[in-house]
Amino acid sequence: MERIVEEIREDLGRRIALAADRLADRTLAEDPAYAAPLGRAAVRERMRETLHRTVEGLVSASRGEPVEVADARAAGALRAGQGLPLDPLRRTYRYGGRLVWQCLTEA
């Protein structure tokens, strides 16, 4: 996996950035309250970072290393503290995961 990601890193980076924008657009259209505490630009940037960390986690897992989930837990705790229901957050993570796989297969 690591070798594959290294070979497609540049293309994958572009695809992940576009996927994060799609994810942000869809999430904010479905649930505008998602942006209220942070603002639209911050939501978009966090989604870019999260999708990039997801790819890094896949590479780590392929090496047999533990996958770091502290950021996902912190995001969930933050959103719960802000009153965001769990369903929109889970839906966004699931859709983001599908987008990452789509980016990997296309790249």
Side-chain angles (χ1 to χ4, degrees), residues 80-94:
Q82 294 167 336
L84 183 72
L86 183 58
D87 282 342
L89 186 62
R90 286 190 349 218
R91 189 172 41 248
T92 297
Y93 267 86
R94 277 195 299 269

Side-chain angles (χ1 to χ4, degrees), residues 5-20:
V5 170
E6 198 54 47
E7 289 177 12
I8 62 173
R9 183 170 298 282
E10 188 176 323
D11 184 33
L12 183 59
R14 280 193 303 274
R15 290 177 187 278
I16 290 291
L18 292 172

Side-chain angles (χ1 to χ4, degrees), residues 8-79:
I8 62 173
R9 183 170 298 282
E10 188 176 323
D11 184 33
L12 183 59
R14 280 193 303 274
R15 290 177 187 278
I16 290 291
L18 292 172
D21 288 342
R22 284 179 44 204
L23 178 61
D25 290 343
R26 177 179 168 170
T27 300
L28 295 170
E30 288 179 357
D31 192 353
Y34 207 97
L38 300 173
R40 297 178 83 76
V43 167
R44 192 172 299 279
E45 184 56 33
R46 282 187 180 209
M47 288 182 175
R48 282 187 191 121
E49 292 169 6
T50 299
L51 293 186
H52 282 287
R53 278 194 306 272
T54 300
V55 173
E56 291 170 9
L58 291 169
V59 171
S60 293
S62 74
R63 293 181 194 143
E65 300 171 358
V67 177
E68 180 58 52
V69 295
D71 289 333
R73 284 190 178 132
L78 173 69
R79 293 314 209 160

